Amino acid sequence: ALIAYAGDAFTISPLTSDAGNLLNLIPNLAPTIMPVMGNEPLAGLNLAIELLNNSGYQHGDIIFISGGFSAEQVTKMQSRLQGQPWRVSVLATGTASGAPISLANGDLLKDQQGNIVVAQLDAPSMQKLTRSSGGLYVPLSASARDIQALNNIDLLDTQLSRKGESNDKQAN
């Protein structure tokens, strides 16, 4: 499935095994298509869990591609995941110092008050979330190393479950 979130979350594509469908949709994702401005990853998490539950899955992986969650947002997400079989991984974009978000037309993304939005990466908070759910924290890289790490999630889980260990390691 593909979910986009800002101030709320929206299903872009339901669960599918057709990677081509997702590849056609991803290039069109942009902040300007979102009807509600903001950054509410809990809304995205809730919608992902709903899609998985409605499709009959008893456990699964949810992968966020994000420039950051605040410590408060992570606490709320951890509460939602407490005792649940969902593993959250993050492909982290951005830097701790942050940067404005450029739009396709060259303008900078602004909030409802007209202030330029500066996305700042809070890596420790995101790492806390992934560790607590057994997922991976993977910084975006120019190589394919980040995607390879996320593609190996099932392999890691299989190897660790045979050993009876939990997966609290992070990919770099």
Side-chain angles (χ1 to χ4, degrees):
L2 181 61
I3 296 170
Y5 72 92
D8 202 354
F10 303 90
T11 302
I12 305 299
S13 172
L15 286 167
T16 179
S17 60
D18 182 3
N21 179 47
L22 298 179
L23 290 173
N24 285 329
L25 294 169
I26 290 171
N28 298 310
L29 294 178
T32 54
I33 70 165
M34 301 305 290
V36 182
M37 297 296 292
N39 180 19
E40 295 296 335
L42 181 59
L45 177 64
N46 285 332
L47 184 53
I49 291 170
E50 179 182 331
L51 288 174
L52 288 163
N53 278 329
N54 289 346
S55 295
Y57 287 93
Q58 302 300 310
H59 56 83
D61 288 288
I62 299 167
I63 301 173
F64 279 87
I65 301 172
S66 178
F69 310 142
S70 69
E72 180 182 341
Q73 289 170 327
V74 166
T75 299
K76 289 178 182 178
M77 293 170 77
Q78 284 179 303
S79 293
R80 176 65 175 95
L81 291 166
Q82 186 70 36
Q84 298 295 312
W86 315 113
R87 182 171 54 186
V88 174
S89 293
V90 173
L91 176 59
T93 64
T95 64
S97 59
I101 300 170
S102 296
L103 301 175
N105 66 3
D107 290 341
L108 298 177
L109 182 65
K110 296 182 180 178
D111 63 18
Q112 293 175 340
Q113 290 75 37
N115 301 313
I116 295 173
V117 175
V118 176
Q120 292 180 292
L121 180 65
D122 181 356
S125 290
M126 295 174 98
Q127 291 167 338
K128 181 179 176 185
L129 174 66
T130 59
R131 274 194 306 270
S132 68
S133 72
L136 296 175
Y137 173 84
V138 183
L140 183 68
S141 71
S143 70
R145 196 166 127 180
D146 48 3
I147 302 303
Q148 290 168 346
L150 292 170
N151 278 336
N152 288 328
I153 289 175
D154 288 337
L155 177 62
L156 290 171
D157 187 49
T158 302
Q159 291 171 347
L160 291 172
S161 64
R162 279 194 303 240
K163 296 177 184 175
E165 300 173 7
S166 65
N167 182 10
D168 63 355
K169 296 181 181 179
Q170 298 170 29
N172 292 315

